[in-house]
Amino acid sequence: MKKLTLVLTVLLTCTSLLFSQRTISGVIQDELGEALIGANVLVKGTDVGTSSDIDGQFSVDVPAGYDVLVISYTGYDLVEQKIGVSNVINITLTEGITVGEVVVTALGIKRDEKSLGYASSQVNSEELLKSGEQNTIQSLAGKSSGVNVVSSSGTPGASSKITLRGLASITNSSEPLIIVDGIPIDNTTPIPTAGDYPFNNGLQGVSNSNRLVDLNPDDIADVSILKGPAASALYGSEAGNGVIIITTKKGSNAGTRLGINVTSSVEITQVSDLIELQDKYAAGTGGSFIGPADPGPDGLFFTADDVATGTQQSWGPALADTSLSSFDNLGNFFDTGVSYKNGIEIFGANEKSNYRLSISDLRQSGIVPNSTFNRTTILLGAGWDVTDRFRINSSLQYTNSGGNKVQNGSNLSGVMLSLYRTPITFDIRDYENEQGYTNNYFFIYDNPLWSTHKNTYDDQVNRILGNIQMSYKFHDWFTPAVRFGIDQYSNSIENRIAFSSLGGFLGGGLGELNLFNIDNKKFNIDATATGDGNLSDDIRVNYLVGFNYRTDRNVNNYQRADAFTLPFLYNFSNAANLYASNELIETLKTGVYGQITASFKNQFYLTGSLRNDWSSTLPIDDNSFLSYGTNLSWIFSELMENTELISFGKLRVSYGSTGIEPAPYFTKTLSIIPNFTDGFTNGLSSPYLGQTLFGRNSRLGNPNLRAERVNGFEVGADIHLLDNRIRLDVSYYDQVTKDNLIFRQVPLSAGAQDIYGNFAEVSNKGLELELGFDILTKGKVQWSSSLNWSKNNNEVLDIEGPGEEDIVTTVETGFGGVSAVATKGQPIGVFQGSTWVRDENNNLIIGANGLPSIGPDAILGNPTPDWFGGWRNDFTFFNDLSLSFLWDVRIGGDIYNGTKARLNRYGATKETEDRERMYIIEGVKADGTPNDIEITPVQYFGSYLGDNGGATEQIIEKDINIIRLRDVSVSYRFSDLSSNVFKSVVLSVRARNLALFHNYSGIDPETSLTGAGSLINGHDYFNNPGTRSFIFEVKVGF
Amino acid sequence: MKKLSFLIIILLGVTFQSCKEDFEDLVNSPNSPTEVPPSSLLSTAEVTTFFVHSGTLTRISSIFTQQLTGTSDGQFGAMNLYTITESAYENDWDVLYTNAMTNTKIIIDDFGDENPHYKGMAQVLMAVNLAILTDFWGDVPFSDALDALNGSFSPTFDSQTDVYASVQNLLTSAIDNLEQPASANALTPGADDLIYGGDVEKWKAAAYLLKARYYLRLSETGGTNLADAMTALDKSQFTSASNDMPVLYDGGSTSTNQYFAFEVQRANYLVLNKFFVDMMKNANDPRLPFYALPDVNNEFTGTDKDDIVTTTVSHIGPYIASPAATRYIISYEEAKFIEAELKMRGSDQQGAEDALRAAMEASLSKVTGTVDNAFIDGIVSGATLETIMDQKYIALFTYMEPYHDYRRTGFPQITPVTGFTEIPLRIPVPTSERNTNPNTPAAQGLFAPVWWDQ
């Protein structure tokens, strides 16, 4: 690689041999200072002309005797500029009557939107910031068609999962590629797991962060979303699930020498939604009271002096019949979260350069005590025109992020698990005994307040994101450029499981210290050449060719100490047992690519792109694969003479095919350290009595791996009516993932769990609609409204099995009772679980014990919504006061309500208050007569509605609809500032999740227990609750 | 410009060449090897077998035979009332096939020819695990199973008759291999053999004893099984507890006793059953304080088989659930119980009583550290088949054997939970097997007996 760098450096610094009589150059930009690419520059009275490049720059040789330039750009007013003495002319175009938007496309190429033959959604800075989210992924929720965002929980720093269109892969991530300033960056959600932990750690532990949280949303200028393979083919692999292109703010070219903005905000966060619990019955079983757990004088359980183990059941006596008092434990548990964010940006520009420095600091605290997320970012971006032809752009970001995360999910120290089960007769505020150990109602759980105070999970990320780009314009037809990018972070985690807690990886109760060190590095080089020009008066062509080199290196080190001698000394010297595991994953990918666009009479635009990749994760002798795309855009409104009704009209069609490489190290079957478990304990593993264990990996490798392909066809129309007041954009797409790489389950009796290979085919078809309407455009009140709507049909077309029969394969290991599976004819990730035995009329068959019996497992539901949409309204009053709100709607989709089932079983839900009677389950007895066998409330809520022998079908809630007022913001701009110091002052108040309507019996159903690092959706098992926030912000410009 | 272009082309070529080397460097995982020596595989196969002898299959055996009661604090409450989902035993099926059977098969196929001792030990372990599979599930894949690596993805289910023939064949072949001289081995097992430290004679004795156990399992199917069992027992040099085939733990984080781990992580899921506690209490059995922890009133109690709610009774005691408590794959006391049963069935009352006495002495000495002869005398004299089976049931508390013995002999005399006339006679083949293997037979109910249960 060094050699390549050397050559490019030589190439870029070598002097041009091209001369002309008089060369006029400059930058063309819009009113906001954004460079306009592809603006036409014509020397008036000649056919000499050029167009502006990727940075808005142009350079034109003006023949002697001519002194006027004509600058035109779709959507902007035409400008005629007289040439003066200076050879540099910078021109600002103002938006005109015809609409045209500049959008960022693959590899950061800015293009006139009308030339695109595929759908791409834009979310600008203002829109992004309206919901006040600090996770950029979460802030995209509801704002564009085809973009599905699911948050994992309301705790600070928790991950959000995004999919574009639908799930394209069964067992691989379907998350899009994220590009920041031209560089692919890491947005994984690491789930740090001990090498000897046998289960899916996503089901317990903490809510980890997706790494895009390291970006400060305030630094983002705009987000461009490329949804289909035609749009993203130029990125090749990893772009098969679409691309999200983020451009950070740059120093303005708009004339200001120096600008300073200071922003401060305070956010108040509350719990939005809790399950209603019963408040009439005490702890206990069979109507008898059971007191709290009592470990005896030593304060520890599993010792000889234990007095009582307590209970998590609330089937005790009615409170009214006892002298016991009751406590509002939910109310006593949650805090009001207060967060502060302060930022300063300094920016400026002169004719040769621009710069922007942004520093921000975020201190979040959540509703769960001691849950925090802090983030400090420093971003420096600069551009420098070394000569008229040689340009350098660079940005460098440092982020320090992290905080304390709380234990959640299926976990003995999980706070929601323990909190919801707390009998009302126990007061959680008395959380610690004399020795500092947990004091709880039930001996194996941690008191939830004790857990938040003692079991810490300190997560620290230090991250550098940097890029430098250099380009040298030899000629309109040849501008080589090189871009280096690096994304490196280290994530160190110190997790303490305090003495007496039975949580953690081992659950020994004698304390545990877990240290994780994750080191992740992505290095990326793109070397490109671009060119642009007219072939004739009507035909214009631009091209791009390039080479890409990319490495990813991920190191995971884990160390654990457990069984402490001194209770609260968190040091390895204090532990009886030590364990360590490590992992290194390294991949390399190179690619060559090219794209060419031809336009005819500004009416037809045809683009073709081609890319070939080589990946180290493919078999070494066959490691190359191709991606390609083509798209056509036709501006049919150019043909119309009368544009009063239809001011702009475009039809577009595209087809693309993108390859995705396999996961690393699966071309061979490996031998690994085995874990043996039956699901109840962590089981046995290596080392064992001094011996190292190795056994064949039950995930088989495959020497015949190929890249999978996402093939997509798309048609769409973009029509603007009534002087652009109404804008309608419609897309229909049909995407098929062929040769989908999956871990296909094999019969365990064949000696393996699954085999990795190109076994599946997945289809996503859908319709996307975006509608904008400027309802009131003139006068003191202005109102514009926009709507987006998406519907996607996801279907597994085939899973290639050993025989003719359709096979069912697990998407990701979940809980015992319900699994997320894929099978032919069904969407990905449908629930599979146990059913009730029914007769031919679908009646439950009730046994002699009054209960229905368990039948075979079946497909029970689909967690993906049928459709979703967003409705944004923006009002401006008297130019200075603006109001904006966004409704977010999701219709359909099923949820496994494991929380409710378990709480029913323990007699904790509100419904279980109706327990002074017997129940009869509707159904028929074995002889066909209606059931009349009475069962107790414990049986009814435990074994029928609950998960104590109840069928999974009973636990799945169908057709969940959610309507959410996602954000409301009011801001006031002080326009008449008679101050020399203050240039602008804006006050804003925002509210998030102000209103929420749903038909789910649990908490806020936009929920994902396992977070963005997982493929499981729609699982609710003691998830952290959602939140409602109010944000007050002041922004001052100097 | 031309020279420059030329230079670029050359250097791009160089770059691609160096890239190719970079690709080659990244083909192999730096974390996991593709091949490992038989020593690691043997340790792995043994630890897998340890696990199976302390996992869910042992717990459900104890629940079905009413040594333990599963409670509604966990999944065992439903199982206690015979509600068992198709996926409930998937993990056990998984560990048995993808770990225990697969890794023993690799030793046999890939290393067996040059290392008959490794092969013999692997065959013994495979026989033990295969017998467990068929005892719980009936017909199971074996003859064309375990070959996914060669693209065989739909194994057929062998009849239990054939599976038992395979078990005996494996043990016969194992004995042949173990009898090979050390010089016939390229590598010989040592410390990697956690069970016997490479002692081939002990492996042979265990193999014969296992043959006897599996012939006796077929006691109800007629034929020469009882005689074959006696012959195998006679050949076995399993003469004392020093021959015990142990399940070893040391309390380490990856090697802790699984009953202890279960009690810590799944506290209250299992409590003692009233039937079992009463049986021991009525006989003043000195092992009770070692098998059970006293309840809140400092008494030994169990819950009734139908009560899955009450947890304030005795829990599993320290003899079973301590971090480093040893368990057994097969033990000297079981050898003596097998002998007692065979002699009783052969109408050798004195021989049966002597063997029963030896079995009880071994059990009491192991559990309590002393031998209470008065207690043993009271039980041994005039013993019947029921006495022998009841004592085996007590001696093998928390093991799988009592469940198989009950199905075979009907002893001890337990009453199924309310609403049922029988205890479950098998467990369902897991969902994933049905999902993926077209040869999976239609699901049979829990109350369809396996072939040897006639």
Side-chain angles (χ1 to χ4, degrees), chain A residues 682-693:
Chain A
N682 287 349
L684 303 178
S685 187
S686 183
Y688 203 95
L689 275 65
Q691 298 300 314
T692 309
L693 309 185

Side-chain angles (χ1 to χ4, degrees), chain B residues 350-367:
Chain B
Q350 188 56 50
E353 285 185 15
D354 290 348
L356 176 60
R357 176 182 301 280
M360 291 188 67
E361 282 173 1
S363 173
L364 261 72
S365 150
K366 214 174 256 174
V367 177

Side-chain angles (χ1 to χ4, degrees), chain A residues 1 3-4 7 10-11 14 196 285-286 290 302 307-310 312-313 412 442-444 474 478 502 505-508 547 549 560 562 577 579 582-590 592 614-616 620 623 665 667-672 674-689 691-696 698 700 744-753 755 802-803 805-808 816 832 834 848-849 854-857 902 905-906 938 948-949, chain B residues 1 4 7-8 11-12 14-16 18-20 22-24 26-36 40-41 43-44 47-48 50-51 54-56 59 71-79 83-87 90-95 97-99 102-103 106 110 141 145-149 152-155 191-192 194 248-256 258 261-269 296 308-310 312 418-420 430-438:
Chain A
M1 275 318 300
K3 289 163 190 165
L4 179 68
V7 172
V10 169
L11 189 78
C14 101
D196 59 345
T285 56
I290 298 179
F302 302 102
V307 175
T309 57
Q312 76 274 49
Q313 309 225 33
L412 296 178
F442 187 50
F443 71 135
I444 59 167
F474 283 98
F478 185 54
L502 296 177
F505 284 102
L506 291 178
F547 167 75
Y549 178 93
R560 178 181 62 222
D562 73 277
N577 295 318
Y579 175 84
N582 70 320
E583 186 180 49
L584 163 67
I585 294 170
E586 231 177 335
T587 61
L588 165 67
K589 196 162 57 186
T590 58
V592 291
W614 290 265
S615 167
S616 67
I620 184 88
N623 64 354
Y665 310 132
T667 57
K668 294 172 182 169
T669 298
L670 303 174
S671 293
I672 58 162
N675 292 306
F676 313 115
T677 176
D678 54 13
F680 292 98
T681 65
N682 287 349
L684 303 178
S685 187
S686 183
Y688 203 95
L689 275 65
Q691 298 300 314
T692 309
L693 309 185
F694 273 110
R696 179 176 291 162
S698 52
L700 300 182
R744 186 191 74 199
Q745 275 186 296
V746 304
L748 294 165
S749 63
Q753 288 172 339
I755 178 168
E805 294 79 3
D806 294 337
I807 67 162
V808 181
Q832 187 181 42
S834 55
N849 57 2
I854 297 282
D857 286 2
R902 186 53 66 94
R905 169 171 161 184
Y906 290 154
V938 173
N948 188 25
Chain B
M1 282 301 288
L4 191 62
L7 191 60
I8 289 173
L11 288 176
L12 280 177
V14 171
T15 308
F16 275 105
S18 67
C19 282
K20 188 162 167 40
D22 291 347
F23 279 118
E24 279 163 1
L26 298 177
V27 168
N28 290 320
S29 165
N31 309 306
S32 307
T34 47
E35 285 186 5
V36 289
S40 284
L41 292 166
S43 301
T44 301
V47 175
T48 318
F50 294 171
F51 181 77
S54 54
T56 309
R59 288 183 249 282
T71 75
S72 62
D73 276 48
Q75 291 86 329
F76 289 108
M79 294 187 204
T83 296
I84 293 179
T85 61
E86 247 190 311
S87 56
E90 184 150 337
N91 285 314
D92 309 275
W93 180 272
D94 184 346
V95 169
Y97 273 112
T98 70
N99 283 304
T102 296
N103 291 317
I106 298 170
D110 296 357
L146 308 173
D147 212 13
L149 202 59
S152 171
F153 292 124
S154 24
D192 52 318
L194 297 162
L248 297 165
Y249 307 100
D250 64 0
S253 62
T254 56
S255 48
T256 207
Q258 290 300 290
F262 187 93
E263 283 303 296
V264 170
Q265 289 188 284
R266 304 286 168 171
N268 277 9
Y269 277 36
V296 285
I308 60 169
V309 174
T310 307
T312 50
T418 304
F420 295 88
T431 322
S432 75
E433 191 75 22
R434 181 165 62 78
N435 279 346
T436 52
N437 186 353

Side-chain angles (χ1 to χ4, degrees), chain B residues 146 168 180 263 282 287 299 345 417 421:
Chain B
L146 308 173
Q168 290 293 350
Q180 299 293 314
E263 283 303 296
N282 293 341
R287 288 168 289 189
E299 287 170 17
R345 285 175 184 268
V417 300
T421 53

Side-chain angles (χ1 to χ4, degrees), chain A residues 118-139:
Chain A
Y118 49 79
S120 97
S121 294
Q122 312 299 314
V123 179
N124 63 27
S125 168
E126 194 187 349
E127 176 67 20
L128 198 69
L129 295 177
K130 271 176 184 159
S131 44
E133 295 280 1
Q134 291 305 326
N135 186 340
T136 304
I137 292 295
Q138 186 60 35
S139 62

